[in-house]
Each structure stands twice: as structure tokens, then as C-alpha cells.
Amino acid sequence: MKESFLKALTLFLLSFLLLWPHASAHAGFLGAGKPAPGAPPGTWVVGDTPATTAGSPILFVHGLNSSALTWFEPNDMFVHTYEQGFPSAYINLHPDKSNWQNGELLAEKIRDIYHHFGEKVTIVAHSKGGVDTQTALLHYGAEPYVKEVITLGSPHHGSELANLAYSNWAGWLAEIIGQRSEGTDSLQTGNMAYFRAQTDGLISAQSVPFSTISGTSWGSFGSALYFGGVYLQFFGTNDGAVTVNSSRLSYARELASNRWDHMQVAQGHLIFPLLQAQMGAQANEEEHAKSMSATIIRGGQFNENGSQAFAIEPNVKKAQISVLANEKLDSAELHSPDGQVYSVAAVAAEQEHSVFYGAYAHHFKLDHPSAGEWELKMKHPQTTAYLAVIALEGGVSPAIAFDGVRLQSDIDPNAIDVSKTRYTIHVNDDNITANAASLHALPPQKDTSQTITIDIEGMTRNGDRFERTIVANRYVDKHGTIYE
């Protein structure tokens, strides 16, 4: 009995040693089925094998703050993929790491997945997953294993929401909810402009073809993507998380740009027919984003009771105010200059792909708000961090523009008294003293990313107070070249 046990043990160990190189080459493969919650980065599963194969296998890549489960819950992408006869694989990447870290990991796993299927894969990537995928292909050698790439609402040129997370006013909130991550940082617009400069020159006629799909809707008032849509509206048409311009690549075919929000643009029943058909026109011309400054941004911390004042000038047609906090507030009210009190109209948790995932957005919407000083009053029993974004339509907004590269504001002196305009500037949370004359002369720090928060306070030509905030990001390389 003892002898037979020893023989069996010996055979087992020999078999394990013989198979070990093969097993390590496929480390991370979890087999077939639904990905397990919390599976570590680098693990991947394959979908059920369709009875009849209709095309090449598809690898689905998730975005920021997400996982492979995004294609299963509450999504039906995996159902449509199976029913239409496509073999599939689903991978977990780091939810909060940069495109460089995820790209390197993804490239390794793409090779494994290629060997598993025995043929090149089509990659369908949502949101930041599209940037991670391009990094894997062009910087980490995964191109030979990929047939084509289709990106869904991917911020190929970065996200102004990522800039906002790194603005001076968002510091308290972003730190508490954990969204000043390497992943968010990599999506700042200057950092992504630098990535484009490193990447787009590598594209050739032999490169794996890219196609894009984008969304143009951010839902109804108070929806999960409403805050993102309100903030991004001044940068162009968007899906509540990514602008249409950012989702496009000049060398990629745009399969569709439709009234989907950032979550719908990855939903199987809406998108899979486009993936399957591979039909569509060439990429549209880029929109001209609005250059006006139309937001006031404030933020901080309070214990039990908090207040924040801000000024609205005359002739503002509409004010959309979103207060993000790390918890759902007990109460939040707006007090107008003439004594009226406005309560929160809607509250929504930020969805998982948001750079403010983990925060609650409290929304107000005002038509023709009174001119003068307003006050936001908040109550909550615990110490709370908040970020308030006031988006204004009308007023002096068309009179203020901003050149991010030169750090120069362009103010119309016919509408604004330039002599009474003051600037408070933070570069990466450090306060910089500047005025209109010296603003553009701030020296760029080489080989670094700079997030710039500029608060403008001044008077209109009619003697009314106004306030605005500008947030921008730029990357300065070691030669001093600026990318934004």
C-alpha cells in the first residue's frame, strides 16, 4: 500500500514538472465561464463555445475602475457574442493603473489568448481600455496577435474630467474616494497629448486597423452621468465621460456616433450589430470645442456644517450646479441673493467608469438665477469632502477664453474691467502668484505633468462681480516641448 502510494506520488511530481513550463505560460487563464469577482489583474476567462463559429475570437477589455464583469453585469454583451457565434475572452486589468502598466500586462496576455485560440483576435475595448490596448500593440509588441481593434467611448486624447480630479479644488474629495490614481493621472489631457506624440508616429499601412464608436448623450437630469455631461459640455459633445473628439483617431474609421451614454456605448444589444457588421463612414471632421470659460469650481472639507459662497453675474440664462461629496449629504441648499432657498433636485452615485467613482452627485438646476452672491449650505454628521461645479450659460462666459499652452487668458475688455480682474493660480496644488501680464510667463517645469487651476475674480463693465475657474493639464517633456 505504502509502495503504491509512493509510486503515485512520484508520477504526479514528474507530470507536474513536465507540464510546469506550459502551465506558467498560461498563468492567469481561469477557464471558461463568468469571471470571478475580485479576480487579480492578468486573469482571463473564455466565453462558452458557440455551436457554430461565425468569426474570429473577440477579446473584451474593460476601462477605468472596472473589471471583466462589466461585459456580464448588467451588460448583455457576452450573450450577443455567444448567440452570434463568436468565440470570446474577457480579461481583468488593473482598475487604477496607467495605460503603460496595463499595456505591458495586456500585451503578455494577448499572446497567451492568441495561442489559446490558435488565431488572431479582434479586440473590443471600452473607455480607457482602448488606450491600454493601443499601448499594448504599439509599445509592447502585441500587434502580431491582433486582427483589429474597436474602441467604445475611449478617451484617446484624454479627459477633462481627469484634469478636474487633479485640480486644486478637487483635492480633498479625490483623495478620500481614491480617484487620484495612476489611471486617472494618465488620462489627463496633457499626458495623453504626450502619449499621442509618442504613439501616432508608429502607425503605418501595416498597422492593426482601429475603428471607433462614440456616444453623444449623458442622460436626463440627475442621471448617473449627468455631472460628467454638464462639465464636459463646454469641451464638446460627449457621452457623460468622454467627448466625441477625444474618442476619435484621425487614422481610425468611425463606425457610429449616436445618442448613447458612456455605459450604453458598451451594451451588447445596442452595439454588437455594429461590431458584427463592420459598416460605417470614415471619421467625421473634429468639432470645434467651445473655448469659453463657463464654470466656477470650489471645494474643500467641512464637519457637520459647511458653506460655500460664489457670485453669479447678470444675464446668466441657466445655472446647473453639481455638488460631489464622498457620502450622500443629509442636506444641501442654495440660498439666493434675494433670500430664496433651493433644495437638491436629484442625487446620483457616480458610475464605475467615472473618475469620481465613489462620490455622490447632488444636482440643482436654475433658470435665470438672480445676480449677486449665492451661498451653498451643506449638512452631514461626519467630516465630509465636497467639490462644487457651477456651470453657467450666458453672462460673461463668451468674454473669457484660455490658451492652455501659453497659460494665457483672453478677456474681452468691452465686457470685463481688466484692471479689476484678479487671478489665483495653482500648479499641481502649489499656489503661484500671477496677474494678467505675468500669467503666460510662468516657466514650465521639464519632464513633468502640470495640472493648472486658475480662479478668476473680477468686475463686469457694469460693475457686477463675476467668478470663473479654468482647469487645464499639460505635459512638458525633457526638452521643454509642451503638450496639451
Side-chain angles (χ1 to χ4, degrees):
M1 184 74 173
K2 183 177 180 181
E3 185 176 334
S4 63
F5 171 78
L6 289 174
K7 286 182 179 179
L9 179 60
T10 301
L11 286 171
F12 171 78
L13 291 173
L14 285 171
S15 300
F16 180 82
L17 290 171
L18 288 170
L19 292 173
W20 172 251
H22 177 79
S24 63
H26 291 272
F29 177 46
L30 297 181
K34 186 177 176 181
T43 55
W44 53 279
V45 300
V46 295
D48 294 334
T49 303
T52 302
T53 301
S56 60
I58 301 174
L59 169 60
F60 290 93
V61 180
H62 65 79
L64 185 73
N65 299 325
S66 190
S67 72
L69 279 172
T70 195
W71 306 104
F72 292 77
E73 297 176 355
N75 203 340
D76 56 359
M77 183 66 82
F78 78 102
V79 173
H80 286 265
T81 305
Y82 170 75
E83 289 181 346
Q84 297 304 316
F86 288 82
S88 59
Y90 307 84
I91 189 167
N92 266 3
L93 298 179
H94 295 282
D96 56 357
K97 298 297 184 183
S98 74
N99 58 296
W100 296 105
Q101 291 160 294
N102 273 351
E104 184 174 16
L105 174 63
L106 180 59
E108 175 191 344
K109 300 307 174 182
I110 288 173
R111 286 190 288 271
D112 292 348
I113 294 167
Y114 164 83
H115 288 300
H116 173 85
F117 287 113
E119 61 178 305
K120 292 185 178 183
V121 298
T122 293
I123 295 181
V124 174
H126 182 219
S127 198
K128 179 177 172 287
V131 182
D132 295 341
T133 298
Q134 192 170 41
T135 306
L137 269 61
L138 293 174
H139 294 281
Y140 291 105
E143 274 202 312
Y145 312 105
V146 178
K147 180 180 178 182
E148 63 180 318
V149 177
I150 304 169
T151 64
L152 314 176
S154 289
H156 294 297
H157 303 276
S159 168
E160 289 81 6
L161 286 169
N163 297 352
L164 179 61
Y166 276 80
S167 70
N168 180 62
W169 288 114
W172 283 106
L173 177 64
E175 289 285 358
I176 285 179
I177 63 176
Q179 293 307 328
R180 277 195 172 182
S181 67
E182 295 170 9
T184 302
D185 183 31
S186 69
L187 292 181
Q188 291 196 80
T189 54
N191 293 339
M192 283 305 302
Y194 183 52
F195 173 73
R196 295 259 64 87
Q198 295 173 291
T199 303
D200 291 349
L202 302 176
I203 299 295
S204 69
Q206 289 72 45
S207 295
V208 169
F210 269 68
S211 300
T212 67
I213 295 175
S214 62
T216 63
S217 173
W218 28 283
S220 59
F221 176 75
S223 65
L225 289 154
Y226 185 76
F227 163 72
V230 167
Y231 186 76
L232 290 175
Q233 66 180 315
F234 303 110
F235 301 96
T237 305
N238 68 86
D239 64 5
V242 176
T243 64
V244 171
N245 279 349
S246 187
S247 75
R248 291 170 170 162
L249 292 167
S250 61
Y251 44 81
R253 183 174 64 165
E254 184 171 66
L255 300 181
S257 183
N258 211 334
R259 287 193 58 80
W260 303 304
D261 65 33
H262 193 63
M263 301 307 295
Q264 290 173 329
V265 80
Q267 293 289 316
H269 63 283
L270 297 174
I271 303 302
F272 196 84
L274 294 169
L275 306 182
Q276 188 175 10
Q278 279 292 287
M279 295 174 63
Q282 294 296 318
N284 297 327
E285 292 294 322
E286 288 191 2
E287 299 176 344
H288 292 288
K290 304 173 186 178
S291 61
M292 69 180 72
S293 174
T295 56
I296 304 168
I297 303 172
R298 298 291 182 265
Q301 242 186 351
F302 69 88
N303 185 19
E304 295 188 2
N305 293 285
S307 65
Q308 179 66 65
F310 58 92
I312 295 181
E313 72 275 14
N315 301 317
V316 170
K317 299 174 183 177
K318 183 184 295 183
Q320 298 180 90
I321 299 154
S322 298
V323 181
L324 272 65
N326 59 294
E327 294 183 352
K328 185 177 179 180
L329 299 175
D330 272 11
S331 71
E333 296 177 338
L334 283 174
H335 292 248
S336 74
D338 51 11
Q340 293 190 62
V341 178
Y342 299 85
S343 298
V344 170
V347 180
E350 285 292 282
Q351 48 81 31
E352 68 174 0
H353 293 278
S354 169
V355 299
F356 289 101
Y357 179 54
Y360 289 84
H362 307 70
H363 299 290
F364 303 83
K365 192 172 184 179
L366 307 173
D367 291 323
H368 303 287
S370 303
E373 183 168 295
W374 286 71
E375 186 176 15
L376 167 65
K377 292 186 177 183
M378 300 163 285
K379 291 183 179 181
H380 201 66
Q382 288 85 36
T383 299
T384 306
Y386 73 94
L387 174 70
V389 176
I390 300 99
L392 305 175
E393 181 182 321
V396 297
S397 295
I400 308 172
F402 177 68
D403 183 333
V405 171
R406 293 180 297 157
L407 279 187
Q408 186 171 3
S409 63
D410 182 11
I411 290 180
D412 181 357
N414 294 316
I416 293 171
D417 189 338
V418 178
S419 67
K420 295 180 180 178
T421 301
R422 299 291 179 265
Y423 300 84
T424 302
I425 304 171
H426 288 82
V427 178
N428 292 348
D429 294 330
D430 294 327
N431 184 263
I432 304 294
T433 301
N435 54 34
S438 66
L439 179 59
H440 64 283
L442 291 175
Q445 184 177 346
K446 294 181 180 180
D447 200 21
T448 189
S449 171
Q450 295 181 323
T451 304
I452 302 134
T453 308
I454 303 176
D455 292 307
I456 305 173
E457 297 182 57
M459 304 288 287
T460 69
R461 277 295 178 186
N462 294 326
D464 297 293
R465 277 188 63 213
F466 77 90
E467 297 178 83
R468 290 295 188 275
T469 305
I470 296 169
V471 178
N473 174 259
R474 64 184 188 176
Y475 186 87
V476 186
D477 70 13
K478 62 184 179 181
H479 304 294
T481 304
I482 298 173
Y483 301 86
E484 67 150 2

